[in-house]
């Protein structure tokens, strides 16, 4: 199972990177969304999968899955939501002000 | 810390007080507060005079970085005392002079005196320390304060140019010198100059000896404006005249001389030292004096004259270093004697001449000798001072310059008697160039004084109506000019008080304990070769001065494009252009390019580490079994992410992204993470709503991204990232080292946190601060979103701020 999820995480990273390298602002934001999904899956995989029951102690099971990656992912999900929201509004505002979402035109111009 | 250490640090400490004094007492010229300091220090150093005459020298050490052998060691011997007296003595006169030169209404006096005091302290540090690293530190501070003082009138373009030039050249030399010091440390194992001297006989055969010698001389030659590094000194004349008189003629430029004199005991006796120091010196003498004749600006003339006089002292030190090889050393050590004597004389006559130039500039508004003339009757005192200074510089009796100039000829002629270092080959150059240089020296000395003060007065060309300077401005040059006369008539006043102790420090190995160099300076030696050389200089000099207009073409023979200044400007420009081109080659301004660098670096760094550490492993035996649900979800996720990439319409891309997110939520369910599944479902729903909201405002996706090559590079990079991540994940899960810390949380969740849901306990208790800051991040994001939507500048403002200037 770990190998399958590793490959899925790898593909998510790959598509995310590809989208982030494109020049449309919306594509870049979708890329960051995919990237955070990939990262979450990666963390979960590295902690080991299905090695026990849900980490709720009143289950009285012999073994539980590792709770630490879950705690980290929970934090990460919320943060990535904040980042995505920020990005979207930034894109919306910059498009409104500058009239383009093309990254080639949004470069800093030092040769005035 | 002894009082000697404090003497070096006092100027720095006082510099801190200057701005407050300037602010509090605006009515009083700040210079009056500064003036007592150099005077007190001068008196303080005077009391060491009897000490250095008989004793070895005084050492006081304060540990600074003992683990590296770097101590703040102060060493007072004849040589350092001579320099310390020059620095504080001339310093006092210059401060007094500056009070009248710089207007307290117009100038930023606080900055001026802070820089000047900084320089004074640093210069004292250079000449008084025994530790090479401390010497280097102070040496660089003198470069910095010189930079600040040259650029004092920073609104002038020429000042900034001169400041930068001096900084680049002297700091380059300083760094080379540091390299020389480090090589010396490698050979001797000590940073102490005295201990290095004690080991000098054992390092002469070391392979690093010559590199150390060259690096050290680079430092000395750049600082003392020797050929070809002299080009910064004429441009340094943009500084206020008191600074030129102080730093760029009397003290800082002599730091290189000091360095050569100080390290003579280490390097003297090697042919390289003898030839490099004396040939560069004598050529600088000739070159500087030749160029001085061409100048029309009084200060530029004095600058080239300083270059040439420094070359003269340098060559004397080089020639004198050979005295170590002879039993009858007194015959050859006369060059060292001449060097030290001329050092003092140069400080007196050149200092007074700079002050005269400053007075002329101050009172007439110009320094151009084509506009000046006939000031003799209007400024009689200034004229007298100028006459004394210029005649001394030209080497005319009875002034002190005559005595040292004769001695200089003696030293150069005696090279012909040496039969070491193959002096028979090029040794004749030394007296010949010395003589030619002296002729030019005579000519420009005459030009300086007579073109300014004699001839026809051209009142209509002068910006101001000239009159005699205020008395305060005249006192410092009068003091110096009197010294010129006194030393001229009674040179032996200096013989055993200053010159002999300094000679002892330059050549300590020649004398046994209690012995002294025999010094007697006399005016008349009979009809010797030196006498006839001086007569020749005067006759030829007068002839060439009177017929100067005929020789103008000879002086301008060197084409303007071939000068060293051109070389400097050109290489600076090229360096700037090249680095600009190099930087803009990779700093393109496209965010995509920067992401490519980051991702490429990540692939290489992680990949290389994994290969080098041989940590790629592939073991599936410990893995969880693959169920049918998981497989389906995986396929959905992969399909979703690829759809997001290939989608033509915005809506498709957003829905594909959401499908990946919801699949991940289901994954969380299957992998025993109910909290994650809940959170992910909620967040994914909100995100999708937000995307759909924003996409309404955003433009349609572009059809395709640029060229095939552009997409190929993107594909390679993203495939690399994906591959590395997969490899990392597989290797990490198939090779587990160490125990997981999950046990700790599972065991203590209830006992310490009081909760059954371990994930929740970790979030709110064990890692409570994480959660707190996570909330903070959200709050900041919310504030940013809110302000971006609500607060907007009108389109007009934006244009004014320069956003729309494609």
């Amino acid at each position: 199972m770990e190998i399958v999820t590793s490959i899925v995480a790898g593909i998510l990273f790959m598509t995310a990177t590809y989208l982030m390298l494109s020049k449309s602002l919306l594509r870049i934001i979708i890329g960051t969304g995919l990237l955070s999904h990939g990262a979450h899956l990666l963390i979960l995989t590295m902690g080991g999968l299905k090695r026990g029951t849900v980490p709720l102690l009143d289950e009285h099971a012999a073994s539980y899955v590792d709770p630490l990656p879950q705690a980290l992912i929970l934090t990460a999900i919320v943060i990535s939501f904040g980042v995505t929201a920020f990005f979207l509004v930034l894109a919306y505002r910059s498009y409104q002000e500058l009239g383009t979402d093309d990254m080639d035109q949004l470069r800093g111009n030092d040769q005035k | 810390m002894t009082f000697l250490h404090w003497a070096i640090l006092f100027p720095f400490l006082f510099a801190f007080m200057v701005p407050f004094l300037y602010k509090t007492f605006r009515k009083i010229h700040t210079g009056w507060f500064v003036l007592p300091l150099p005077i007190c220090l001068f008196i303080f150093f005077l009391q060491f005079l009897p000490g250095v005459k008989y004793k070895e020298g005084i050492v006081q050490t304060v540990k600074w970085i003992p683990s590296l052998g770097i101590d703040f060691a102060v060493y007072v011997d004849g040589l350092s005392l001579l320099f310390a007296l020059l620095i504080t003595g001339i310093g006092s006169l210059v401060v007094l002079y500056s009070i009248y030169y710089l207007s307290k209404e117009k100038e930023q006096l606080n900055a001026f005196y802070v820089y000047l005091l900084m320089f004074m302290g640093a210069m004292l540090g250079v000449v008084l320390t025994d530790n090479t690293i401390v010497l280097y530190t102070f040496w660089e501070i003198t470069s910095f304060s010189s930079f600040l003082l040259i650029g004092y009138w920073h609104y002038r373009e020429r000042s900034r140019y001169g400041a930068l030039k001096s900084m680049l050249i002297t700091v380059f030399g300083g760094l080379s010198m540091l390299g020389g010091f480090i090589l010396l440390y490698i050979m001797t194992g000590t940073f102490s100059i005295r201990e290095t001297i004690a080991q000098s006989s054992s390092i002469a055969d070391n392979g690093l000896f010559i590199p150390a010698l060259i690096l050290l001389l680079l430092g000395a030659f750049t600082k003392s404006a020797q050929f070809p590094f002299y080009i910064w000194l004429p441009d340094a004349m943009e500084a206020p005249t008191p600074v030129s008189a102080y730093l760029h003629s009397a003290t800082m430029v002599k730091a290189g001389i000091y360095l050569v004199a100080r390290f003579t005991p280490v390097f003297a006796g090697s042919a390289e030292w003898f030839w490099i120091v004396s040939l560069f010196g004598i050529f600088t003498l000739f070159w500087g004096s030749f160029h001085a004749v061409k100048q029309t600006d009084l200060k530029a003339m004095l600058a080239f004259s300083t270059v040439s006089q420094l070359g003269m002292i340098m060559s004397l030190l080089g020639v004198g270093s050979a005295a170590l090889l002879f039993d009858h050393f007194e015959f050859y050590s006369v060059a060292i004697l001449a060097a030290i004597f001329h050092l003092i004389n140069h400080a007196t006559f050149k200092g007074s001449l700079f002050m005269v130039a400053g007075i002329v500039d101050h009172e007439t508004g110009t320094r151009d000798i084509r506009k000046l003339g006939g000031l003799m009757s209007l400024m009689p005192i200034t004229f007298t001072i100028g006459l004394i200074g210029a005649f001394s510089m030209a080497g005319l009796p009875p002034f002190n310059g005559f005595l040292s100039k004769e001695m200089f000829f003696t030293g150069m002629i005696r090279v012909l008697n040496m039969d070491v270092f193959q002096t028979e080959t090029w040794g004749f150059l030394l007296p010949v160039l010395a003589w030619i240089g002296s002729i030019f020296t005579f000519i420009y000395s005459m030009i300086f004084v007579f073109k300014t003060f004699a001839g026809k007065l051209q009142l209509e060309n002068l910006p101001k109506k000239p009159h005699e300077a205020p008395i305060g401005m005249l006192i410092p040059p009068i003091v110096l000019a009197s010294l010129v006369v006194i030393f001229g008539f009674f040179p032996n006043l200096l013989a055993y008080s200053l010159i002999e102790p300094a000679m002892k420090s330059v050549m300590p190995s020649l004398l046994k304990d209690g012995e002294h160099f025999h010094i007697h300076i006399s005016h008349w030696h009979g009809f010797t070769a030196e006498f006839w050389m001086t007569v020749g200089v005067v006759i030829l000099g007068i002839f060439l001065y009177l017929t100067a207009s005929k020789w103008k073409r000879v002086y301008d023979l060197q084409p303007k494009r071939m000068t060293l200044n051109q070389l400097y400007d050109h290489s600076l420009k090229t360096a700037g252009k090249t680095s600009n081109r190099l930087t803009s080659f990779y700093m393109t301004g496209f965010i995509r390019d920067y992401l490519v660098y980051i991702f490429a670096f990540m692939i290489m760094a992680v990949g290389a580490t994994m290969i080098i550490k041989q940590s790629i492993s592939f073991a599936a035996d410990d893995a969880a079994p693959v169920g049918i649900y998981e497989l389906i979800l995986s396929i959905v996720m992969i399909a979703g992410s690829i759809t997001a990439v290939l989608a033509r319409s915005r809506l498709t891309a957003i829905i594909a992204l959401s499908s990946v997110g919801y699949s991940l939520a289901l994954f969380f369910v299957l992998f025993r993470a109910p909290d994650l599944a809940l959170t992910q479902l909620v967040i994914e729903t909100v995100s999708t709503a937000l995307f759909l909201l924003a996409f309404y405002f955003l433009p349609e996706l572009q059809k395709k991204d640029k060229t095939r090559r552009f997409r190929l590079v993107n594909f390679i990079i993203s495939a690399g990232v994906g591959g590395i991540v997969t490899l990392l994940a597989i290797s990490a899960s198939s090779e587990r080292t160490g125990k997981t810390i999950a046990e700790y949380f599972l065991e203590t969740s209830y006992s310490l946190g009081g909760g059954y849901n371990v994930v929740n306990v970790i979030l709110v208790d064990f890692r409570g601060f994480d959660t707190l800051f996570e909330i903070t991040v959200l709050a900041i994001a919310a504030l940013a979103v809110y302000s971006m939507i609500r607060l907007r500048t009108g389109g007009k403002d934006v244009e004014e701020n320069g956003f729309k200037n494609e």
Side-chain angles (χ1 to χ4, degrees), chain B residues 33-51:
Chain B
F33 298 111
V34 179
L35 185 59
L37 182 81
I39 296 178
C40 292
L41 287 176
F42 183 73
I43 296 166
F44 169 71
F45 283 115
L46 274 182
Q47 57 161 339
F48 287 93
L49 271 180

mmCIF file of all heavy atoms in Angstrom, chain B residues 33-51:
data_model
loop_
_atom_site.group_PDB
_atom_site.id
_atom_site.type_symbol
_atom_site.label_atom_id
_atom_site.label_comp_id
_atom_site.label_asym_id
_atom_site.label_seq_id
_atom_site.Cartn_x
_atom_site.Cartn_y
_atom_site.Cartn_z
ATOM 1 N N PHE B 33 36.731 72.537 20.499
ATOM 2 C CA PHE B 33 36.635 71.450 21.485
ATOM 3 C C PHE B 33 37.601 70.331 21.160
ATOM 4 O O PHE B 33 38.114 69.646 22.039
ATOM 5 C CB PHE B 33 35.210 70.884 21.504
ATOM 6 C CG PHE B 33 34.174 71.880 21.902
ATOM 7 C CD1 PHE B 33 33.246 72.344 20.992
ATOM 8 C CD2 PHE B 33 34.135 72.346 23.206
ATOM 9 C CE1 PHE B 33 32.296 73.268 21.357
ATOM 10 C CE2 PHE B 33 33.180 73.270 23.578
ATOM 11 C CZ PHE B 33 32.263 73.737 22.660
ATOM 12 N N VAL B 34 37.827 70.127 19.853
ATOM 13 C CA VAL B 34 38.670 69.011 19.421
ATOM 14 C C VAL B 34 40.143 69.337 19.630
ATOM 15 O O VAL B 34 40.940 68.474 19.998
ATOM 16 C CB VAL B 34 38.396 68.683 17.939
ATOM 17 C CG1 VAL B 34 39.272 67.560 17.451
ATOM 18 C CG2 VAL B 34 36.927 68.340 17.741
ATOM 19 N N LEU B 35 40.504 70.599 19.432
ATOM 20 C CA LEU B 35 41.911 71.014 19.433
ATOM 21 C C LEU B 35 42.723 70.533 20.643
ATOM 22 O O LEU B 35 43.845 70.050 20.462
ATOM 23 C CB LEU B 35 41.977 72.543 19.296
ATOM 24 C CG LEU B 35 43.374 73.145 19.171
ATOM 25 C CD1 LEU B 35 44.090 72.576 17.955
ATOM 26 C CD2 LEU B 35 43.297 74.661 19.064
ATOM 27 N N PRO B 36 42.201 70.608 21.874
ATOM 28 C CA PRO B 36 43.046 70.191 23.004
ATOM 29 C C PRO B 36 43.487 68.736 22.943
ATOM 30 O O PRO B 36 44.565 68.399 23.448
ATOM 31 C CB PRO B 36 42.135 70.412 24.222
ATOM 32 C CG PRO B 36 41.103 71.367 23.768
ATOM 33 C CD PRO B 36 40.917 71.150 22.312
ATOM 34 N N LEU B 37 42.683 67.888 22.329
ATOM 35 C CA LEU B 37 43.010 66.462 22.351
ATOM 36 C C LEU B 37 44.349 66.143 21.683
ATOM 37 O O LEU B 37 45.231 65.553 22.327
ATOM 38 C CB LEU B 37 41.869 65.664 21.714
ATOM 39 C CG LEU B 37 42.102 64.162 21.740
ATOM 40 C CD1 LEU B 37 41.737 63.588 23.096
ATOM 41 C CD2 LEU B 37 41.302 63.469 20.656
ATOM 42 N N PRO B 38 44.565 66.527 20.403
ATOM 43 C CA PRO B 38 45.879 66.219 19.817
ATOM 44 C C PRO B 38 47.023 66.923 20.537
ATOM 45 O O PRO B 38 48.127 66.351 20.629
ATOM 46 C CB PRO B 38 45.751 66.692 18.366
ATOM 47 C CG PRO B 38 44.573 67.566 18.311
ATOM 48 C CD PRO B 38 43.651 67.123 19.404
ATOM 49 N N ILE B 39 46.768 68.116 21.068
ATOM 50 C CA ILE B 39 47.849 68.809 21.783
ATOM 51 C C ILE B 39 48.248 68.010 23.017
ATOM 52 O O ILE B 39 49.439 67.770 23.272
ATOM 53 C CB ILE B 39 47.408 70.239 22.175
ATOM 54 C CG1 ILE B 39 47.153 71.063 20.899
ATOM 55 C CG2 ILE B 39 48.467 70.913 23.043
ATOM 56 C CD1 ILE B 39 46.681 72.469 21.174
ATOM 57 N N CYS B 40 47.256 67.556 23.802
ATOM 58 C CA CYS B 40 47.554 66.775 25.003
ATOM 59 C C CYS B 40 48.281 65.488 24.627
ATOM 60 O O CYS B 40 49.259 65.096 25.286
ATOM 61 C CB CYS B 40 46.273 66.430 25.746
ATOM 62 S SG CYS B 40 45.475 67.858 26.468
ATOM 63 N N LEU B 41 47.812 64.832 23.553
ATOM 64 C CA LEU B 41 48.455 63.586 23.145
ATOM 65 C C LEU B 41 49.887 63.845 22.712
ATOM 66 O O LEU B 41 50.794 63.061 23.007
ATOM 67 C CB LEU B 41 47.673 62.931 22.004
ATOM 68 C CG LEU B 41 46.354 62.288 22.399
ATOM 69 C CD1 LEU B 41 45.634 61.752 21.169
ATOM 70 C CD2 LEU B 41 46.566 61.170 23.391
ATOM 71 N N PHE B 42 50.108 64.965 22.021
ATOM 72 C CA PHE B 42 51.461 65.323 21.588
ATOM 73 C C PHE B 42 52.373 65.468 22.799
ATOM 74 O O PHE B 42 53.476 64.913 22.839
ATOM 75 C CB PHE B 42 51.406 66.631 20.787
ATOM 76 C CG PHE B 42 52.729 67.065 20.240
ATOM 77 C CD1 PHE B 42 53.292 66.400 19.170
ATOM 78 C CD2 PHE B 42 53.406 68.154 20.789
ATOM 79 C CE1 PHE B 42 54.521 66.797 18.659
ATOM 80 C CE2 PHE B 42 54.632 68.551 20.276
ATOM 81 C CZ PHE B 42 55.183 67.872 19.208
ATOM 82 N N ILE B 43 51.888 66.189 23.813
ATOM 83 C CA ILE B 43 52.693 66.373 25.025
ATOM 84 C C ILE B 43 52.924 65.033 25.719
ATOM 85 O O ILE B 43 54.018 64.735 26.189
ATOM 86 C CB ILE B 43 52.005 67.383 25.968
ATOM 87 C CG1 ILE B 43 51.953 68.744 25.271
ATOM 88 C CG2 ILE B 43 52.724 67.472 27.300
ATOM 89 C CD1 ILE B 43 51.019 69.731 25.928
ATOM 90 N N PHE B 44 51.877 64.209 25.717
ATOM 91 C CA PHE B 44 51.998 62.891 26.332
ATOM 92 C C PHE B 44 53.092 62.076 25.654
ATOM 93 O O PHE B 44 53.924 61.446 26.307
ATOM 94 C CB PHE B 44 50.654 62.169 26.244
ATOM 95 C CG PHE B 44 50.707 60.722 26.599
ATOM 96 C CD1 PHE B 44 50.910 60.325 27.916
ATOM 97 C CD2 PHE B 44 50.561 59.739 25.624
ATOM 98 C CE1 PHE B 44 50.963 58.989 28.245
ATOM 99 C CE2 PHE B 44 50.608 58.407 25.955
ATOM 100 C CZ PHE B 44 50.811 58.026 27.269
ATOM 101 N N PHE B 45 53.121 62.106 24.331
ATOM 102 C CA PHE B 45 54.128 61.317 23.628
ATOM 103 C C PHE B 45 55.523 61.916 23.757
ATOM 104 O O PHE B 45 56.513 61.191 23.694
ATOM 105 C CB PHE B 45 53.752 61.145 22.149
ATOM 106 C CG PHE B 45 52.684 60.125 21.930
ATOM 107 C CD1 PHE B 45 51.454 60.476 21.435
ATOM 108 C CD2 PHE B 45 52.908 58.797 22.253
ATOM 109 C CE1 PHE B 45 50.455 59.530 21.246
ATOM 110 C CE2 PHE B 45 51.921 57.841 22.086
ATOM 111 C CZ PHE B 45 50.693 58.216 21.577
ATOM 112 N N LEU B 46 55.590 63.240 23.937
ATOM 113 C CA LEU B 46 56.914 63.870 24.108
ATOM 114 C C LEU B 46 57.674 63.261 25.267
ATOM 115 O O LEU B 46 58.897 63.120 25.216
ATOM 116 C CB LEU B 46 56.741 65.376 24.331
ATOM 117 C CG LEU B 46 56.650 66.259 23.097
ATOM 118 C CD1 LEU B 46 56.536 67.710 23.521
ATOM 119 C CD2 LEU B 46 57.848 66.069 22.187
ATOM 120 N N GLN B 47 56.967 62.882 26.328
ATOM 121 C CA GLN B 47 57.673 62.397 27.518
ATOM 122 C C GLN B 47 58.346 61.042 27.275
ATOM 123 O O GLN B 47 59.147 60.599 28.095
ATOM 124 C CB GLN B 47 56.700 62.296 28.683
ATOM 125 C CG GLN B 47 55.541 61.405 28.349
ATOM 126 C CD GLN B 47 54.821 60.919 29.584
ATOM 127 O OE1 GLN B 47 55.387 60.921 30.648
ATOM 128 N NE2 GLN B 47 53.584 60.507 29.425
ATOM 129 N N PHE B 48 58.057 60.389 26.151
ATOM 130 C CA PHE B 48 58.739 59.132 25.862
ATOM 131 C C PHE B 48 60.096 59.358 25.220
ATOM 132 O O PHE B 48 60.871 58.428 25.072
ATOM 133 C CB PHE B 48 57.886 58.265 24.931
ATOM 134 C CG PHE B 48 56.699 57.667 25.587
ATOM 135 C CD1 PHE B 48 55.474 58.295 25.560
ATOM 136 C CD2 PHE B 48 56.809 56.457 26.271
ATOM 137 C CE1 PHE B 48 54.373 57.732 26.179
ATOM 138 C CE2 PHE B 48 55.719 55.892 26.896
ATOM 139 C CZ PHE B 48 54.497 56.537 26.854
ATOM 140 N N LEU B 49 60.357 60.618 24.798
ATOM 141 C CA LEU B 49 61.596 60.896 24.057
ATOM 142 C C LEU B 49 62.850 60.394 24.757
ATOM 143 O O LEU B 49 63.644 59.677 24.146
ATOM 144 C CB LEU B 49 61.691 62.398 23.766
ATOM 145 C CG LEU B 49 61.042 62.864 22.475
ATOM 146 C CD1 LEU B 49 61.211 64.350 22.309
ATOM 147 C CD2 LEU B 49 61.628 62.125 21.282
ATOM 148 N N PRO B 50 63.071 60.763 26.032
ATOM 149 C CA PRO B 50 64.294 60.261 26.664
ATOM 150 C C PRO B 50 64.316 58.752 26.778
ATOM 151 O O PRO B 50 65.380 58.127 26.680
ATOM 152 C CB PRO B 50 64.279 60.918 28.056
ATOM 153 C CG PRO B 50 62.996 61.637 28.182
ATOM 154 C CD PRO B 50 62.287 61.647 26.879
ATOM 155 N N GLY B 51 63.142 58.168 26.927
ATOM 156 C CA GLY B 51 63.063 56.713 27.106
ATOM 157 C C GLY B 51 63.597 55.942 25.921
ATOM 158 O O GLY B 51 64.409 55.028 26.074
#
